[in-house]
């Protein structure tokens, strides 16, 4: 066996539905978000899971709970998996951020790896804290399937790190819509991407909902 990581973004929230920046804010899942989490659990419960690692937020823990209940595994909560902190942009739309923090917004769009939202976190900082969790998983679970339930930016940054993509390009190179799962297998030649932003476990109705 080899270690295979499943990166699951949490289900829909009111902020993802509205395409607003939400990092430290901790909204619950919407009814659609709950349905997304249940659909993931129903589709993937048959896999032999070794562990489930989650961000400490309500939206990720609620998403993970459906699978944990089915397979009888506890959640292992890790602060390193939390979402990017958007600072003064929290709760705002991109249009509002552009109007209120234009210069910072332009710098961030150009290179979010080394530029932070106003008062927030840089992508490289998220890389270091999330990579510490990946190293822990690799050490403790060298074989089998491990689920990581996290957030849009954090998942994209982790995938960039594993695949050798510049962290500053995480917004340009990697997709992670709500309730999507990306799969990476650890091989003798390094991490191998098996699936990116897979959502076939969702019904067509859930896949077509607006939002990010």
């Amino acid at each position: 066996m080899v270690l295979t990581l499943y990166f699951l973004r949490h289900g829909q929230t009111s902020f993802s539905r509205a395409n607003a920046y939400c990092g430290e804010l901790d909204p619950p899942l919407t009814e659609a978000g709950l349905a997304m989490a249940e659909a993931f659990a129903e589709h993937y419960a048959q896999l032999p899971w070794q562990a489930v690692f989650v961000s400490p937020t309500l939206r990720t823990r609620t998403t993970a709970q459906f699978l944990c209940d089915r397979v009888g595994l506890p959640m292992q909560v890790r602060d390193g998996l939390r979402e990017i902190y958007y600072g003064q942009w929290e709760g705002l739309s991109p249009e509002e951020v552009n109007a209120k923090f234009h210069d910072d917004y332009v710098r961030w769009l150009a290179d979010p790896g080394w530029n932070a939202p106003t008062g927030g976190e840089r992508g490289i900082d998220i890389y270091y804290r999330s990579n510490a969790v990946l190293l822990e998983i690799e050490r403790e679970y060298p074989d089998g399937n491990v689920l990581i339930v996290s957030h849009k930016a954090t998942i994209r940054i982790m995938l960039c790190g594993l695949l050798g993509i510049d962290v500053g390009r995480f917004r340009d190179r990697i997709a992670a819509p709500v309730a999507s799962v990306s799969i990476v297998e650890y091989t003798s030649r390094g991490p191998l991407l098996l699936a990116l932003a897979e959502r076939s476990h969702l019904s067509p109705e859930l896949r077509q909902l607006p939002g990010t």
Side-chain angles (χ1 to χ4, degrees), residues 55-171:
S55 159
T57 61
L58 175 62
R59 57 194 184 274
T60 48
R61 289 184 288 110
T62 302
T63 299
Q65 191 66 59
F66 286 88
L67 183 79
C68 289
D69 288 345
R70 283 176 177 258
V71 302
L73 282 175
M75 294 182 214
Q76 300 192 50
V77 178
R78 296 294 183 272
D79 194 58
L81 297 176
R82 72 183 187 277
E83 178 63 304
I84 180 175
Y85 174 47
Y86 285 105
Q88 296 181 51
W89 301 2
E90 293 276 340
L92 302 180
S93 69
E95 294 76 18
E96 290 171 322
V97 169
N98 186 43
K100 295 180 179 181
F101 306 98
H102 177 74
D103 290 348
D104 285 351
Y105 188 55
V106 170
R107 282 190 289 269
W108 184 72
L109 290 177
D111 189 350
W114 294 96
N115 294 291
T118 311
E121 283 185 293
R122 302 175 303 168
I124 194 66
D125 301 318
I126 298 154
Y127 166 76
Y128 284 122
R129 62 171 166 81
S130 61
N131 190 60
V133 181
L134 296 180
L135 291 174
E136 176 192 357
I137 293 171
E138 186 177 2
R139 182 178 64 251
E140 298 296 328
Y141 300 95
D143 296 308
N145 303 310
V146 174
L147 177 65
I148 297 172
V149 187
S150 188
H151 306 268
K152 186 178 184 179
T154 307
I155 288 173
R156 293 191 289 180
I157 288 168
M158 286 190 285
L159 290 174
C160 281
L162 288 172
L163 301 175
I165 300 170
D166 180 0
V167 169
R169 302 273 66 81
F170 76 88
R171 301 183 72 253

Side-chain angles (χ1 to χ4, degrees), residues 6-13 16 29-41 43-44 59-60 63-64 147-152 155 175-183 196-203 206-212:
Y6 290 73
F7 295 87
L8 174 64
R9 186 183 170 196
H10 61 78
Q12 185 197 69
T13 70
S16 68
L29 297 184
T30 62
E31 288 299 316
L34 292 170
M36 291 173 177
E38 186 173 15
F40 174 84
H43 186 83
Y44 285 95
R59 57 194 184 274
T60 48
T63 299
L147 177 65
I148 297 172
V149 187
S150 188
H151 306 268
K152 186 178 184 179
I155 288 173
V178 287
S180 66
V181 60
S182 296
I183 306 170
L196 177 64
E198 172 61 44
R199 300 178 91 207
S200 61
H201 53 280
L202 302 180
S203 68
L206 290 175
R207 290 198 301 269
Q208 292 167 10
L209 289 175
T212 61

